[in-house]
Amino acid sequence: MANTANDTNFFTDVCKNFDDAAQFTGHPEGLLSQIKACNSVYRFQFPIRRGNGFEVIDAWRVEHSHHMSPTKGGIRYSEMVNEDEVMALAALMTYKCAIVNVPFGGAKGGIKITPKNYTTGELENITRRYTTELIKKNFIGPGIDVPAPDYGSGEREMSWIADTYMTMNPGQLDALGCVTGKPIALHGIRGRKEATGRGVAYAIRECVRVTEDMQKIGLTAGLGDKRVIVQGLGNVGYHSAKFLTEFGATIVGLCEYEGAIYNANGLNVDEVFAHRKLTGSILGFPGATEFKNSMEGLEQPCDILVPAALENQITVENIKNIKAKIIAEGANGPCTPEAEDIFTQMGGIIIPDMYCNAGGVTVSYFEWLKNLSHVAFGRMEKRYAENSNANLINTLESLTGQSIPSEHRLMIIKGASELELVNSGLEDTMIHSYHEIRETLLSKPGIQTLRTAAFVGSIDKIAVSYMNLGIWP
Ligand code: NAD
């Protein structure tokens, strides 16, 4: 049985990973302690009216690091949320932002509820009250702390947060930048919803592109022949599976909390999603072998495993049964440090959460920039680029006397849309960051894993920020 997210050792695990990496950096002990510490932990309770009475809700907002402002991180809606978990997730956000060069400190929020047990009206009350509590303590704002979706929350909750903040801050020009992951109608950005999963798929694609690394673990380069199992069919899991399929991989297994399904010939993710929506379960999907114990699904034959549900899913208890050669951490903290040590000895590669799922915060950064600039990406230059390209083609045609076929003409002329710009920025970020981490791994003798290399890179960047702030000599 895997640990549950209630086990209160997640922050310790993140700190252990930090300490493993810190020895390769050479920064002074005091500076390392400052980088590692959670700067502000705000724990609060508030009442909501339910039925004929009231219920008291537990909630948190943790700002891990103020080396950059604002701080940034999602809000988790889950019965399993606890202070240790929110601190761990906030810390991971700091390191994540540094890895993908997003200029934010890390933060995270938590509301201890099971969303499906509440009506839409109650969820709205909870979200608006949570936001009000953050406003009262100066824990939210476009230049202070900017929440986003996480497990159990999405666009709807983000729009309630934005509306509450704007109501309480009339006339604040940049108010919409107080939260990201908003719907497009409320000045969200195209591509944000799918960004984390898309980023996971880019991360995996980049990892399997490196022939020498694949040879070491007995795989060929490329996604074409790769069999993938995904845990969690929520935002991150669904989109990871969808884009991996688009990039040529085959999804052979899917695991949800009610059970898991497996088909060596491949599963159509959209069909499974539709089946679950209709029946309430992924079990019973035609043609698939099924496992009532969802954890068994992780142990089926595959090349790549993408845990995209919760932390502490892969531990010393099940790591030896995992058949995958690559674990790509879509979720935050799905593998414990002890399990990672064993997997590394088994010759496997873990693509660490702090890089692997950084697509969400990368595109959240683009959304924040859009909100601060009050103009959608591409709006100013799209038509100009199309006219320039058309002029170029027309000139070439008249000089050569040859005409370019219309489908090619359209492709060359077309200016970039907001979605294309967002995806291009995301793809570039994920490719660049992967190789930055891999370079660190190769260049510092003694580093064994991509995670340690990722931590080393981000600790170095945060240390430089502190030095630039003049806080450290
Ligand atoms: P989500 O709520 O959209 O989806 C989570 C899914 O996991 C749900 O379908 C749920 O039923 C399933 N699940 C829960 N327990 C399970 C179990 N034991 N076995 C199998 N499936 C289980 O949440 P999400 O936004 O996709 O987040 C998932 C993970 O990704 C979290 O760790 C989160 O912190 C991380 N993450 C999310 C984002 C984002 O942009 N949403 C960004 C970075 C990291």
Side-chain angles (χ1 to χ4, degrees):
M1 220 358 227
N3 294 351
T4 69
N6 258 334
D7 291 352
T8 52
N9 56 4
F10 191 9
F11 185 61
T12 313
D13 285 353
V14 174
C15 290
K16 181 186 179 306
N17 288 327
F18 179 99
D19 292 337
D20 287 348
Q23 58 178 309
F24 295 99
T25 66
H27 298 299
E29 193 54 46
L31 175 54
L32 291 169
S33 301
Q34 169 56 39
I35 295 173
K36 192 164 65 167
C38 268
N39 288 175
S40 314
V41 181
Y42 179 32
R43 173 180 178 274
F44 52 105
Q45 293 176 313
F46 55 84
I48 58 147
R49 197 183 285 277
R50 268 199 115 181
N52 295 327
F54 289 91
E55 182 179 320
V56 177
I57 306 286
D58 291 306
W60 290 265
R61 185 73 187 170
V62 172
E63 291 172 358
H64 171 260
S65 177
H66 294 121
H67 73 287
M68 291 215 180
S69 291
T71 50
K72 182 107 192 64
I75 305 174
R76 184 168 281 200
Y77 287 50
S78 164
E79 196 52 55
M80 289 183 288
V81 163
N82 58 58
E83 194 162 307
D84 174 87
E85 180 185 61
V86 186
M87 286 168 67
L89 292 166
L92 278 176
M93 281 304 296
T94 295
Y95 309 128
K96 191 179 298 188
C97 289
I99 286 168
V100 290
N101 298 316
V102 165
F104 297 140
K108 205 78 180 187
I111 305 181
K112 196 174 174 57
I113 55 164
T114 301
K116 67 174 168 23
N117 295 345
Y118 294 81
T119 64
T120 304
E122 287 167 345
L123 285 173
E124 180 171 355
N125 283 345
I126 291 168
T127 306
R128 288 186 182 278
R129 180 64 190 255
Y130 177 84
T131 311
T132 309
E133 296 297 327
L134 295 187
I135 294 169
K136 275 158 59 180
K137 295 283 181 187
N138 214 18
F139 263 77
I140 184 171
I144 299 169
D145 187 355
V146 182
D150 190 71
Y151 185 92
S153 61
E155 288 183 348
R156 182 184 62 173
E157 288 73 18
M158 301 308 115
S159 61
W160 290 330
I161 292 172
D163 185 55
T164 309
Y165 184 85
M166 288 190 298
T167 306
M168 306 277 279
N169 292 277
Q172 193 186 103
L173 205 57
D174 294 332
L176 274 168
C178 74
V179 64
T180 59
K182 301 179 293 292
I184 300 295
L186 205 63
H187 303 267
I189 197 163
R190 284 177 176 77
R192 171 61 185 90
K193 203 200 283 181
E194 59 271 37
T196 308
R198 186 182 266 279
V200 170
Y202 286 142
I204 295 171
R205 192 186 66 183
E206 214 44 38
C207 174
V208 303
R209 258 184 187 162
V210 186
T211 309
E212 58 182 287
D213 292 355
M214 291 305 101
Q215 277 171 350
K216 282 186 199 151
I217 58 171
L219 295 178
T220 54
L223 270 176
D225 61 347
K226 299 295 176 296
R227 302 159 303 155
V228 183
I229 294 178
V230 178
Q231 183 197 36
L233 208 50
N235 183 333
V236 180
Y238 168 75
H239 288 110
S240 301
K242 196 168 144 53
F243 290 113
L244 282 167
T245 309
E246 217 170 83
F247 297 166
T250 305
I251 305 299
V252 291
L254 290 167
C255 318
E256 257 295 337
Y257 67 85
E258 68 270 14
I261 54 172
Y262 185 86
N263 186 338
N265 297 321
L267 294 163
N268 180 314
V269 181
D270 281 318
E271 284 174 14
V272 175
F273 195 82
H275 170 84
R276 185 168 191 248
K277 210 168 171 193
L278 192 72
T279 65
S281 170
I282 57 170
L283 298 176
F285 185 73
T289 309
E290 59 186 44
F291 306 90
K292 295 240 161 53
N293 174 3
S294 174
M295 297 306 283
E296 267 187 70
L298 306 181
E299 300 171 4
Q300 301 312 306
C302 68
D303 304 301
I304 301 166
L305 174 63
V306 184
L310 283 171
E311 59 266 25
N312 286 337
Q313 297 301 299
I314 300 166
T315 68
V316 286
E317 288 174 39
N318 61 354
I319 187 67
K320 289 198 175 139
N321 301 330
I322 301 292
K323 315 271 186 315
K325 299 273 178 61
I326 298 171
I327 299 176
E329 296 183 327
N332 285 309
C335 300
T336 63
E338 297 76 20
E340 176 158 30
D341 288 346
I342 297 171
F343 194 64
T344 306
Q345 283 159 21
M346 286 160 60
I349 295 176
I350 293 186
I351 308 177
D353 48 8
M354 53 200 291
Y355 157 70
C356 192
N357 66 33
V361 75
T362 302
V363 175
S364 274
Y365 169 47
F366 300 157
E367 180 178 335
W368 181 76
L369 291 174
K370 173 182 176 177
N371 295 151
L372 296 195
S373 63
H374 301 267
V375 62
F377 288 101
R379 178 167 177 178
M380 303 286 279
E381 61 273 34
K382 184 169 185 284
R383 182 73 52 182
Y384 181 82
E386 286 177 355
N387 288 340
S388 299
N389 294 342
N391 287 340
L392 188 69
I393 298 281
N394 292 342
T395 308
L396 279 175
E397 281 183 340
S398 69
L399 287 176
T400 60
Q402 309 243 350
S403 64
I404 292 176
S406 63
E407 68 272 22
H408 291 170
R409 166 179 268 273
L410 285 176
M411 201 174 68
I412 297 167
I413 286 179
K414 191 184 163 314
S417 67
E418 180 174 85
L419 181 62
E420 286 161 331
L421 290 168
V422 163
N423 288 344
S424 145
L426 172 61
E427 183 174 10
D428 190 57
T429 301
M430 296 308 290
I431 292 174
H432 173 83
S433 299
Y434 185 78
H435 292 287
E436 196 173 275
I437 296 167
R438 189 172 174 273
E439 280 303 307
T440 306
L441 176 68
L442 297 180
S443 66
K444 299 220 178 201
I447 297 184
Q448 302 285 333
T449 63
L450 287 170
R451 188 184 320 276
T452 305
F455 263 100
V456 167
S458 70
I459 292 171
D460 281 344
K461 289 180 193 175
I462 298 163
V464 169
S465 299
Y466 274 113
M467 287 168 193
N468 288 343
L469 286 171
I471 295 174
W472 241 269

